[in-house]
């Protein structure tokens, strides 16, 4: 499996900016992709923000396996972290996020209140990898399109303070990856969900990874998608057969990209690519 590494200069700059702003921040909102909760946790940012109260948002939960999203939520809550599972585009759970921010910053609010501060303002910073849905969440919270959104990595370029209400201000930040993926599967997972620019990985590598993963953990969904095509342990041969059967002739690379898009668009159902060892996908 070929490794995927991508760390443009603006990401290092953004990391430094987050570090500079942390002294102004009361709580950290860490937005994770519910399909890859652990793989979308940036270890560099996690280390930087380790001493701050934290809210974890499992975003894009509509795309993930709901059973596993529930298990991941419980897992992070057992680490004494406030967790909200969210679909920022389609549902109305944002009030839960506001409550979570207040809960995570309760100690700070109490401290300020005891000092006589009326209606203390809580400042939060929103962090996450590219294309995890940070800006969509912020726009929903603020109630207008103040943060640039897009279904591709690298849309947010600057840091901006946004006023949610009289009590909460949020700092938006660009999505940040880390310099090197020690586990090559992490790179494959992030490529599969669209958090890495498509110019830095091979489509067939990711398609082959997806076939192997789906066969291992979501065999029923894969069999239904393959229809009359028998699963072949020789994955490159299987991918070539799929290329031809699904009408792409011998355009292996174009079909590989199409298959990745099919997975992203839920044509094979709600898929989670990170799993807890004690959790069975068939539970």
């Amino acid at each position: 499996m070929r490794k995927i590494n991508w760390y443009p200069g603006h990401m290092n700059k953004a990391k430094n900016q987050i570090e500079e702003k942390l002294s102004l921040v009361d709580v950290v909102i860490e937005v994770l992709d519910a399909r890859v909760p652990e793989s979308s946790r940036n270890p560099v940012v996690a280390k930087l923000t380790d001493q701050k109260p934290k809210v974890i948002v499992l975003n894009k939960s509509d795309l993930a396996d709901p059973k596993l999203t529930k298990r991941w939520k419980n897992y992070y809550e057992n680490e004494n972290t406030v967790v909200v599972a969210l679909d920022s585009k389609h549902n109305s759970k944002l009030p839960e996020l506001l409550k979570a921010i207040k809960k995570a910053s309760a100690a700070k609010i109490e401290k300020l209140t005891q000092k006589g501060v009326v209606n203390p303002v809580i400042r939060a910073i929103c962090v996450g990898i590219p294309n995890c849905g940070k800006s969509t969440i912020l726009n929903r919270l603020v109630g207008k399109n103040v943060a640039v959104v897009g279904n591709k990595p690298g849309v947010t370029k600057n840091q901006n303070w946004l006023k949610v209400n009289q009590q909460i201000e949020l700092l938006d930040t660009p999505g940040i990856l880390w310099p090197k993926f020690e586990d090559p599967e992490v790179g494959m997972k992030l490529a599969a969900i669209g958090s890495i620019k498509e110019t830095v990985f091979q489509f067939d590598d990711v398609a082959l990874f997806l076939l192997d993963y789906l066969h291992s953990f979501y065999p029923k969904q894969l069999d239904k998608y393959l229809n009359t095509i028998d699963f072949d342990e020789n994955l490159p041969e299987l991918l070539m057969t799929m290329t031809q059967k699904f009408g792409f002739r011998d355009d292996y690379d174009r079909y590989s990209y199409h298959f990745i898009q099919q997975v992203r668009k839920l044509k094979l159902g709600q898929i989670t690519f990170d799993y807890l060892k004690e959790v069975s996908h068939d539970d």
Side-chain angles (χ1 to χ4, degrees), residues 91-226:
N91 69 24
S92 56
K93 285 192 176 181
L94 290 174
E96 288 187 26
L97 178 54
L98 290 174
K99 289 179 182 178
I101 295 170
K102 290 180 180 179
K103 181 178 179 180
S105 55
K108 179 63 179 289
I109 293 173
E110 183 179 356
K111 184 178 179 180
L112 291 173
T113 302
Q114 287 177 350
K115 289 183 176 180
V117 177
V118 179
N119 296 324
V121 175
I122 295 302
R123 291 191 133 188
I125 190 170
C126 194
V127 299
I129 66 169
N131 199 29
C132 66
K134 290 186 299 82
S135 295
T136 300
I137 289 173
L138 294 176
N139 286 338
R140 295 276 182 169
L141 286 173
V142 177
K144 55 185 177 181
N145 293 332
V146 292
V148 181
V149 299
N151 189 25
K152 60 182 179 179
V155 172
T156 304
K157 299 296 185 183
N158 302 307
Q159 294 182 322
N160 304 293
W161 282 105
L162 308 171
K163 191 170 183 177
V164 176
N165 52 38
Q166 295 301 314
Q167 288 184 300
I168 300 173
E169 291 182 0
L170 285 174
L171 181 63
D172 189 14
T173 63
I176 307 174
L177 289 175
W178 50 107
K180 183 179 180 182
F181 303 131
E182 297 297 336
D183 182 351
E185 280 200 3
V186 170
M188 290 296 165
K189 292 174 183 179
L190 296 182
I193 66 169
S195 290
I196 296 177
K197 284 188 175 179
E198 293 171 349
T199 54
V200 300
F201 63 86
Q202 301 296 318
F203 296 140
D204 62 327
D205 282 347
V206 177
L208 292 170
F209 165 78
L210 287 173
L211 283 173
D212 185 49
Y213 186 87
L214 291 166
H215 177 60
S216 297
F217 296 109
Y218 294 92
K220 292 179 182 178
Q221 288 94 315
L222 180 60
D223 286 344
K224 184 178 179 180
Y225 180 80
L226 291 176

Side-chain angles (χ1 to χ4, degrees), residues 12 26-27 35 44 49 53 82 107 114 117 136 155 244 271 278:
N12 189 53
D26 303 306
V27 61
R35 294 168 292 178
V44 175
T49 60
V82 183
Q114 287 177 350
V117 177
T136 300
V155 172
Q244 295 167 350
I271 306 293
E278 66 272 21

